[in-house]
Amino acid sequence: MLTIRRSFVPFALVAFLLAMLVGPRALAADQAEKPAVRSTPAHIDAPKDQHDKDHPTRVRPAPPHHAPSPHDPVNINTADVRELMTLTGVGRKVAEKIVEYRDHGPFKKADELKKVEGVGNGVWEKNRERVVVTR
């Protein structure tokens, strides 16, 4: 039969607990040494002609993407679903219905938006300052 010394059990327990405490920190320190991955895409400037082949390719940061603001006007004849969703009270389904409604022809006046299912007087009143119509 295997006999274990009494003094060995507490030592093994302490060693195990210490490894559990230090382990995640050691892992985090190991990951901190890795080089950072570029989070934004880059645009590459390729050589312009055959004589420029020896010129190294230049990498420049991507231009900032203009996300629609909740204060920008929204043209309901040209806006995509994402931009329509910036209107107060308009979710994905209502935005998709607005796009579908345009399939029958463009809006002539901004208040025609109320004809779309899911857009009532409340949604219209909250957004009337932002809704624009251009053809």
Side-chain angles (χ1 to χ4, degrees):
M1 175 172 228
L2 181 65
T3 55
I4 299 176
R5 297 170 90 191
R6 275 187 154 171
S7 62
F8 179 75
V9 174
F11 174 76
L13 182 61
V14 168
F16 174 75
L17 292 174
L18 185 61
M20 293 301 293
L21 290 172
V22 174
R25 289 185 186 150
L27 180 62
D30 181 42
Q31 289 177 349
E33 295 173 8
K34 294 180 182 177
V37 177
R38 172 174 255 182
S39 62
T40 58
H43 293 286
I44 299 174
D45 290 336
K48 294 183 176 38
D49 60 3
Q50 291 178 337
H51 302 292
D52 201 17
K53 283 182 186 174
D54 296 331
H55 188 279
T57 303
R58 297 181 308 260
V59 177
R60 57 187 165 86
H65 176 67
H66 175 62
S69 163
H71 304 293
D72 290 342
V74 176
N75 183 347
I76 57 175
N77 278 334
T78 60
D80 61 1
V81 171
R82 194 174 106 232
E83 190 174 356
L84 289 166
M85 288 174 57
T86 65
L87 294 170
T88 304
V90 176
R92 179 167 297 280
K93 293 204 182 232
V94 174
E96 288 171 352
K97 288 180 183 180
I98 294 169
V99 172
E100 288 174 22
Y101 189 87
R102 288 193 312 226
D103 292 340
H104 304 300
F107 291 93
K108 292 176 181 64
K109 295 187 297 183
D111 65 346
E112 286 182 38
L113 185 63
K114 293 188 286 186
K115 294 180 180 178
V116 176
E117 183 183 342
V119 179
N121 286 330
V123 172
W124 167 248
E125 290 299 325
K126 291 175 187 173
N127 296 294
R128 72 182 316 156
E129 300 295 321
R130 292 187 54 211
V131 174
V132 295
V133 174
T134 58
R135 295 183 188 133

